[in-house]
Amino acid sequence: MISTSHFHPMLVHFPIALVTFGFIAELGYLFFKNEVWLSKSGFYLLISGTLLASVTLLTGLLFTDEMSGAAGEIKEKHELFAWITLSVLIATSIIRIILTTQINQNMNIKRLAFALYCIAAISVSTSGFYGGMLVYNYMMPL
């Protein structure tokens, strides 16, 4: 039987992969403008990553143990970047959904969405880095 403490480690890799590869797809679209599928893929990966990031953050809050000392400080940084990631992902998703419903898209809004997507990719990677530190440096159980 699976313990509830395993929910967070089982889910955590999905938002990291979805957001990172979604941003890479958007970056690829900058270089290959006629490949519209890259932008659409980035959009769908963004939406999927946002939904899974919210579930992953919830499992981290509900099902992980409290930590103290140096591990507690690392966990606080991990949680901070997780909240930043989710906030930026939600904002980016809302902007991208609005952009997809408009016929004439404002170029400045598209640039803002791209910049936020970049911030989200960096933030989710940073959160994953601190989560990895907890597991490997402080031997937190999986």
Side-chain angles (χ1 to χ4, degrees), residues 8 11-16 18-19 45-61 81-90 120 124:
H8 185 68
L11 293 173
V12 75
H13 299 91
F14 290 103
I16 295 170
L18 292 170
V19 172
L45 290 168
L46 169 67
I47 300 302
S48 302
T50 302
L51 293 173
L52 276 166
S54 61
V55 172
T56 302
L57 180 66
L58 189 63
T59 61
L61 293 173
F81 279 101
W83 280 108
I84 290 169
T85 300
L86 185 59
S87 302
V88 173
L89 283 173
I90 289 171
V124 76

Side-chain angles (χ1 to χ4, degrees), residues 25-26 28-29 32-45:
E26 288 291 333
Y29 179 68
F32 307 106
K33 289 285 188 192
N34 57 347
E35 301 292 337
V36 179
W37 66 271
L38 285 170
S39 183
K40 287 185 179 186
S41 298
F43 172 72
Y44 291 122
L45 290 168

Side-chain angles (χ1 to χ4, degrees), residues 3 7 15 47 55 87 96 104 117 132 138-139:
S3 169
F7 289 158
I47 300 302
V55 172
S87 302
R96 286 295 304 270
N104 296 326
Y117 210 164
Y138 296 98
M139 300 302 201

